[in-house]
Amino acid sequence: MTSLVYDLHSHTTASDGVLTPDELIKRARHRGVNVLAVTDHDTTSGLSDAQKSATSHGITLVHGIELSVTWQKNHVHIVGLNINASSDRLKTRLAAVQEIRQERAQEMAQRLEKVGINNALAGAREFSLNNNITRTHFARYIVSIGKARTMSEVFKRYLVPGKPGYVSVDWIPMDEAVELIQSVGGCAVVAHPARYKMTNTKMKKLLAVFADVGGAGIEVINSGSTREVIENNISLANQFGLAASIGSDFHSPDNKFVDLGRFPPLPDNVTPIWEGWDEM
Ligand code: AMP
Ligand code: MN
Ligand code: MN
Ligand code: MN
């Protein structure tokens, strides 16, 4: 029996993480994670540096991505694990999503200007080393100029639906995202199901469609998941025949509650997403 520590959801400076791929891999090793998936938002550009570092530090890197997806006007995140990032089809699709991100960022900055937050586009870009602009980069800028004290305060006041800096866009449709991930050899996993503020009924509808179009798994444990959430996720996984994934969703060492490998082990009443992966 091997007892590897898996963390299948994390971010680098290629999206809205603050550690470079190399720094992230070193932290994974320090934290006792054996198998780490790097799953940056809508980009695979951190994977080659992460692979070099993983090889030299004895970490098994799972090549991943976290796709921004729209399903029935809801925005959800679908993680792809074990993807072939060199696929031209994937690159073309991601380039289109990056265009949407750039246009959205311009619109967000214009709206923020109207509520007294100036230079937000340039400011967010300063925080985005890879020019892959997310709301997180706007949030870091807004905190840095003292317009809010914490990240969660910025989101609440400015960056969620109904607030001045929120701009809704159409991301990749869910069925297309699942098919795209599969077409590049990956398996599709619904990220952090408890974070969407969906009713259980709606989540079940989503999972029925997701499983039907070929979705493989669902994250049942993230950093900070409560026991109730974990139990509910496990029951959803089993109900829809989905495998279970676990991942911290690590972004930054500043958040003490979210860290690589910081979550309980997977209970044995679910099928791990890594069952059947090559022995690592
Ligand atoms: P985007 O993909 O540009 O819409 O940005 C989404 C990212 O914002 C997520 O991946 C999180 O990293 C971050 N985020 C969303 N809500 C919050 C929040 N309440 N507090 C801190 N970060 C958040
Ligand atoms: Mn993020
Ligand atoms: Mn996410
Ligand atoms: Mn994430």
Side-chain angles (χ1 to χ4, degrees):
M1 264 306 274
T2 49
S3 60
L4 298 173
V5 175
Y6 289 80
D7 186 334
L8 300 179
H9 189 150
S10 70
H11 296 274
T12 75
T13 46
S15 64
D16 57 351
V18 302
L19 301 186
T20 64
D22 182 52
E23 288 165 344
L24 183 81
I25 293 291
K26 286 180 181 145
R27 189 177 186 90
R29 192 171 77 155
H30 179 70
R31 298 269 316 150
V33 171
N34 307 108
V35 183
L36 179 75
V38 168
T39 56
D40 278 308
H41 298 288
D42 307 314
T43 185
T44 60
S45 67
L47 292 176
S48 72
D49 282 355
Q51 184 58 66
K52 278 183 214 136
S53 180
T55 302
S56 73
H57 289 100
I59 297 284
T60 298
L61 180 73
V62 173
H63 292 215
I65 193 160
E66 182 173 15
L67 290 178
S68 305
V69 164
T70 299
W71 175 74
Q72 295 193 346
K73 301 212 158 66
N74 303 280
H75 301 308
V76 296
H77 286 170
I78 305 288
V79 162
L81 299 174
N82 282 323
I83 57 167
N84 171 10
S86 63
S87 149
D88 284 335
R89 181 182 162 200
L90 180 64
K91 285 182 191 162
T92 304
R93 193 63 180 94
L94 294 180
V97 177
Q98 293 303 331
E99 278 290 309
I100 293 174
R101 282 197 172 278
Q102 292 296 329
E103 284 165 21
R104 179 181 74 149
Q106 287 182 14
E107 173 96 31
M108 284 174 71
Q110 282 165 15
R111 293 193 193 182
L112 288 167
E113 194 88 32
K114 292 188 184 136
V115 292
I117 293 173
N118 303 321
N119 302 317
L121 186 56
R125 286 207 165 112
E126 288 276 307
F127 285 89
S128 169
L129 298 188
N130 196 32
N131 200 24
N132 177 14
I133 302 187
T134 70
R135 281 184 290 161
T136 310
H137 300 108
F138 279 94
R140 291 193 183 123
Y141 169 67
I142 292 168
V143 170
S144 79
I145 59 170
K147 295 277 184 183
R149 277 175 305 119
T150 63
M151 294 292 280
S152 64
E153 191 185 325
V154 186
F155 274 88
K156 259 188 226 142
R157 282 173 58 183
Y158 298 105
L159 300 179
V160 292
K163 298 299 170 174
Y166 183 76
V167 176
S168 179
V169 295
D170 290 332
W171 301 111
I172 304 181
M174 186 164 75
D175 52 353
E176 186 193 338
V178 172
E179 196 269 324
L180 179 62
I181 289 168
Q182 284 185 323
S183 76
V184 296
C187 55
V189 172
V190 174
H192 43 63
R195 220 175 290 162
Y196 304 122
K197 300 193 177 90
M198 276 183 204
T199 60
N200 226 25
T201 310
K202 194 166 205 179
M203 179 53 64
K204 285 181 185 176
K205 275 194 193 146
L206 181 154
L207 292 177
V209 174
F210 177 74
D212 192 52
V213 298
I218 175 173
E219 288 180 353
V220 302
I221 304 180
N222 303 110
S223 275
S225 299
T226 62
R227 242 183 53 198
E228 288 91 325
V229 161
I230 294 172
E231 276 167 20
N232 191 51
N233 289 342
I234 287 175
S235 122
L236 290 170
N238 288 333
Q239 196 174 330
F240 292 94
L242 296 167
S245 187
I246 53 183
S248 58
D249 202 4
F250 176 82
H251 285 75
S252 160
D254 292 341
N255 184 345
K256 292 182 179 50
F257 301 104
V258 177
D259 209 341
L260 296 172
R262 187 182 195 276
F263 38 73
L266 193 63
D268 56 16
N269 58 343
V270 271
T271 307
I273 190 84
W274 54 85
E275 195 172 275
W277 289 4
D278 289 346
E279 197 47 44
M280 295 184 158

